[in-house]
Amino acid sequence: MSERSAGTSERIARTGQDRTAPLDLLDLDGSLAEEDRQIRAVVAGLVTTRVRPYVARWYELGEAPIRDLAVEFGRVGLLGMHLTGYGCAGASAVAYGLACLELEAGDSGVRSLVSVQGSLAMYAIWRYGSEEQKQHWLPSMASGETIGCFGLTEPDHGSDPASMATRARRDGTDWVLDGGKMWITNAPVADVAVIWARTDGGVRGFVVPMGTPGVTAREIRHKMSLRASSTGEIVLDEVRLPADALLPTATGLKAPLSCLTEARYGIVWGALGAARDCLHTALDYATGREQFGRPIAGFQLTQAKLADMAVELQKGYLLALHLGRLADAGTLRPEQVSVGKLNNVREAIEIARQCRTILGANGISGEYPVLRHANNLESVLTYEGTSEIHQLVIGQRLTGLAAFGG
Ligand SMILES: Cc1cc2nc3c(=O)[nH]c(=O)nc-3n(C[C@H](O)[C@H](O)[C@H](O)COP(=O)(O)OP(=O)(O)OC[C@H]3O[C@@H](n4cnc5c(N)ncnc54)[C@H](O)[C@@H]3O)c2cc1C
């Protein structure tokens, strides 16, 4: 990274820290438990030292030190942090959400690493695995030494995973898997994949070590979004697995969908982090940049933008806190998570785009984080259920009618 851009990143990191308070218009931080606040401060500190100074460079190169980050995140208990036992931290849902927010204030790709590891791969094993599977995989996944991925999406089946083409058939006591998965976060660097496949008995989940003969993963190149994250295609060619690779209690599509609900919950919070970072940057820029003889922050049109964005950010935070408290009470329902994902990602992307306008030409520069966040949020808008799918989930709840097609 050039000296100038490193300096800019550091300045943004500093101002990002300093400006948290003015954005908390409704004093929502005051309602957080002390322990949640402490966890948030640890994650924010880690992002400041370990992500912010480097992430623009990772994004530009299209590669991030995933393994190193996983070990560092594991060391402070971020991986599977809302799960209990097997080396997991057992933190509250609100604390997990706050961690996602602070991680994504650094970069959505970095938060994706933690979400996929903890909420998709580890959660699937934690919730549906045998005792042996849990003991074998979870402690080293919690420490970040083992990286997991979650293969549901296929080249021809995204929003409609019920139509998946990947098959698992029995051969004696073994299982044999054939098919392919696409757009799988962490796949090129993963040690293990949770793969969902169709069997004669419906959709089942399998724990697949990536070194198994017949498994290949390749990096998906030319991404214009989430470039500080590894995304891959997995090919499964006559992959023979022992009987104990099956997740015993995961039967039917509701199993992977329950994992997605976990990960979507983290996104409800995470998207706010990206938006907050954009708004900090825009505020800082607008107060320093002068046109027509005065700071652009002093123009009414700029203040209208800033005010509207701050209001949306606080509404999103209120929503996330509410969902977090429902989760901690054990009553959070999937369609409520859809409300959060739909709203908070949609608003975050609007905030990122609006902030970009405030930065003018500098808004398109990688020396500022705004367009990187906006581009990242394009992926966040699509994965874990597109906005349209969440509208359909909410629509079904409202009308009692499923409008997904089929
Ligand atoms: C960076 C990145 C990382 C990802 N990581 C993972 C991962 O780790 N694991 C994994 O399994 N998947 C992953 N995904 C895949 C992601 O979950 C899918 O891209 C997503 O579910 C959408 O599927 P699709 O891209 O095939 O789009 P499609 O399903 O083809 O949808 C295309 C468009 O049609 C719309 N549409 C589809 N059906 C309907 C309908 N019934 N009514 C109205 N509109 C509809 C969609 O909303 C969308 O706008 C990742 C994707 C990205 C971009």
Side-chain angles (χ1 to χ4, degrees), residues 1-10 51-61 366-367 372:
M1 185 186 289
S2 71
E3 272 177 33
R4 181 158 173 240
S5 60
T8 304
S9 305
E10 280 157 23
V51 177
R52 282 185 198 278
Y54 313 106
V55 66
R57 180 77 174 154
W58 299 337
Y59 192 90
E60 213 165 303
L61 292 176
E367 294 201 4
R372 172 169 53 81

Side-chain angles (χ1 to χ4, degrees), residues 267-268 271 340-350 377-378 380-382 387:
I267 293 172
V268 172
K341 205 254 178 187
L342 175 65
N343 183 77
N344 286 9
V345 179
R346 191 162 63 185
E347 295 306 328
I349 208 165
E350 278 309 311
L377 287 166
E378 295 289 347
V380 180
L381 195 70
T382 289
S387 289

Side-chain angles (χ1 to χ4, degrees), residues 121-198:
M122 290 176 71
Y123 179 79
I125 296 170
W126 182 84
R127 169 95 188 260
Y128 298 109
S130 65
E131 191 53 37
E132 293 70 33
Q133 287 169 330
K134 293 179 197 183
Q135 285 182 8
H136 182 80
W137 293 107
L138 293 179
S140 69
M141 292 175 86
S143 70
E145 288 148 64
T146 299
I147 295 184
C149 65
F150 182 92
L152 180 64
T153 305
E154 301 185 349
D156 296 329
H157 307 281
S159 300
D160 179 21
S163 306
M164 70 175 66
T166 298
R167 300 256 161 200
R169 63 179 160 80
R170 288 228 83 144
D171 185 17
T173 58
D174 289 351
W175 287 95
V176 179
L177 268 61
D178 272 297
K181 299 291 175 179
M182 192 71 180
W183 296 108
I184 308 304
T185 303
N186 291 346
V189 291
D191 304 290
V192 62
V194 171
I195 297 287
W196 300 94
R198 179 185 303 288

Side-chain angles (χ1 to χ4, degrees), residues 353-385:
R353 289 171 181 159
Q354 190 71 281
C355 287
R356 199 215 69 71
T357 69
I358 292 177
L359 269 71
N362 279 320
I364 69 144
S365 167
E367 294 201 4
Y368 294 86
V370 178
L371 193 59
R372 172 169 53 81
H373 283 308
N375 285 350
N376 281 339
L377 287 166
E378 295 289 347
S379 290
V380 180
L381 195 70
T382 289
Y383 69 24
E384 308 293 346

Side-chain angles (χ1 to χ4, degrees), residues 295-317:
I296 59 170
F299 296 127
Q300 290 181 353
L301 289 176
T302 309
Q303 289 199 5
K305 290 179 185 177
L306 293 170
D308 285 350
M309 291 190 286
V311 168
E312 283 309 326
L313 195 58
Q314 288 278 276
K315 281 157 68 180
Y317 191 28

